[in-house]
Amino acid sequence: GKGRYNHYMLKEINEQPEALRQTLNGRVDLENERVELEEFPEGAFEGVDEVHFVACGTSYHAAVYARQLFHDRGIPAQAFFASEYATINPPLGENTLTVAVTQSGETADTLSALRRAAGKGGRTLAVTNVVGSTAAREADDALFIRAGPEIGVAATKTFSSQVVSLAMLAERMAEDRGAEPRADAARYLQALSDLPDAIEQVLGDTSAERVASAYADSLSHFFIGRGTGHAVALEGALKFKEITYEHAEAFAAGELKHGPLALVTSETPVFAVLSGDYDEKTYGNMEEVKSRGAPVIALTDAPESVSRVTDDVITMPETHEDLKSLLANVQLQLLSYHAASLRGRAIDKPRNLAKSVTVE
Ligand code: F6R
């Protein structure tokens, strides 16, 4: 049941520390500074020269986040909407690994992309929450994210567990491909292990709830970011639309000035996810919207450095740069939850949506 929570969504947001402990359990070896995935013996990814992520919705955003982590480890990776995979028709080498990222393991678009890759002779991997799901059974291999059952239609804890699972996959794959160990391996792996505690701190913070009510009368909510911050901006906007029924949109911070800036007014608060990737450039984008009268809300671990360009700040604890946006995402989950709750929406079962989309 929902226990002391009014909604499964809030329960599942709050379950993230425990879900991540399960995701990480036995997989991060701090002593030897490496990741160990029980499913994959040493050398399992030796031949892989490229990764194609195929996914939908929130899982696609986890793939966009992960793409950057794979690139940082020298692994060419692309993220595709599963429903676009056939149309875009990217060339598939015999050493391309197609990775279906799917919480349920039953999403029709994702299964279809997976089957397409397999049909072309490609190797496949399912990253999923559901043991025994169609994706897990059909793919050559499966990596289980171990987040526990998710009841709320809006995906929350499974996004965090997907990103962390893919982060670990990147490390394992880099090792098999003979990449140099990360210069910051000890600090990164420690930060991964400490992530459940960092999220616990975020969950104890009430700024997202305050901000949700401060901007409740807005015409639209915009979300911007760079790199992993862009992935999380996309996820923040999706969650916001899904459960508040209000318009929300995400932009790569640098793209604002190429068009969307025309929409920015005092009625469109802009949430900036500061991921540590070229933040100075994002400050410039925040100034652009502020000078058009839009309220600017920063998600950051360094509130003092952005006070000049913000009206409000949502602060996160410090962590490794690669994981910062994951903490910001938890704040955006809370923002959407409270914004939807203020509006009295059917948070666990938003209109027109189903937990698992089994038609193409
Ligand atoms: C959003 C949401 C959907 C799913 C998407 C993919 O909150 O839940 O966007 O993420 O339908 O579902 P899975 O991950 O089961 O393939």
Side-chain angles (χ1 to χ4, degrees), residues 222-250:
F222 293 152
F223 298 85
I224 63 170
R226 300 190 126 69
T228 60
H230 180 225
V232 162
L234 290 166
E235 173 57 12
L238 176 68
K239 212 97 301 178
F240 201 90
K241 285 183 252 210
E242 205 175 7
I243 60 167
T244 71
Y245 309 160
E246 303 280 348
H247 184 254
E249 201 74 54

Side-chain angles (χ1 to χ4, degrees), residues 98-335:
T98 297
V99 179
V101 185
T102 167
Q103 186 285 126
S104 62
E106 303 297 344
T107 302
D109 286 322
T110 307
L111 292 175
S112 159
L114 193 66
R115 287 169 185 151
R116 181 178 176 81
K120 285 182 164 187
R123 182 175 163 188
T124 57
L125 166 66
V127 176
T128 181
N129 198 28
V130 182
V131 178
S133 61
T134 307
R137 281 185 283 110
E138 287 193 11
D140 295 324
D141 291 294
L143 173 60
F144 296 108
I145 68 168
R146 311 198 297 215
E150 191 175 63
I151 311 291
V153 165
T156 52
K157 63 174 178 174
T158 53
F159 175 86
S160 296
S161 288
Q162 283 171 335
V163 171
V164 167
S165 298
L166 293 170
M168 293 189 291
L169 182 64
E171 294 309 309
R172 268 299 281 104
M173 203 174 285
E175 184 181 278
D176 282 356
R177 285 166 39 92
E180 288 285 311
R182 304 174 68 113
D184 60 357
R187 189 170 68 88
Y188 179 60
L189 297 177
Q190 188 65 54
L192 266 178
S193 307
D194 292 343
L195 203 53
D197 300 330
I199 291 186
E200 228 146 62
Q201 281 189 58
V202 171
L203 295 170
D205 178 45
T206 54
S207 18
E209 182 169 8
R210 176 180 53 75
V211 169
S213 79
Y215 300 101
D217 295 328
S218 306
L219 201 60
S220 180
H221 285 62
F222 293 152
F223 298 85
I224 63 170
R226 300 190 126 69
T228 60
H230 180 225
V232 162
L234 290 166
E235 173 57 12
L238 176 68
K239 212 97 301 178
F240 201 90
K241 285 183 252 210
E242 205 175 7
I243 60 167
T244 71
Y245 309 160
E246 303 280 348
H247 184 254
E249 201 74 54
F251 306 106
E255 277 295 299
L256 268 179
K257 58 183 174 300
H258 299 290
L261 203 50
L263 294 171
V264 169
T265 68
S266 61
E267 292 184 278
T268 60
V270 178
F271 291 79
V273 181
L274 293 164
S275 55
D277 299 304
Y278 301 97
D279 282 349
E280 326 71 50
K281 289 188 192 285
T282 307
Y283 299 159
N285 306 129
M286 291 156 75
E287 272 164 359
E288 285 160 12
V289 297
K290 195 172 165 57
S291 69
R292 270 78 180 178
V296 178
I297 304 95
L299 291 110
T300 180
D301 60 8
E304 62 294 340
S305 50
V306 291
S307 54
R308 197 168 41 86
V309 282
T310 53
D311 298 277
D312 241 312
V313 177
I314 298 178
T315 308
M316 283 97 59
E318 279 180 36
T319 182
H320 189 280
E321 306 76 74
D322 290 354
L323 306 173
K324 277 187 189 191
S325 302
L326 211 40
L327 298 185
N329 187 62
V330 175
Q331 291 284 22
L332 294 182
Q333 292 171 348
L334 291 167
L335 174 82

Side-chain angles (χ1 to χ4, degrees), residues 12-26:
E12 287 158 2
I13 289 173
N14 279 281
E15 273 170 3
Q16 286 175 110
E18 191 41 41
L20 283 180
R21 281 186 194 108
Q22 292 307 320
T23 304
L24 289 159
N25 188 21

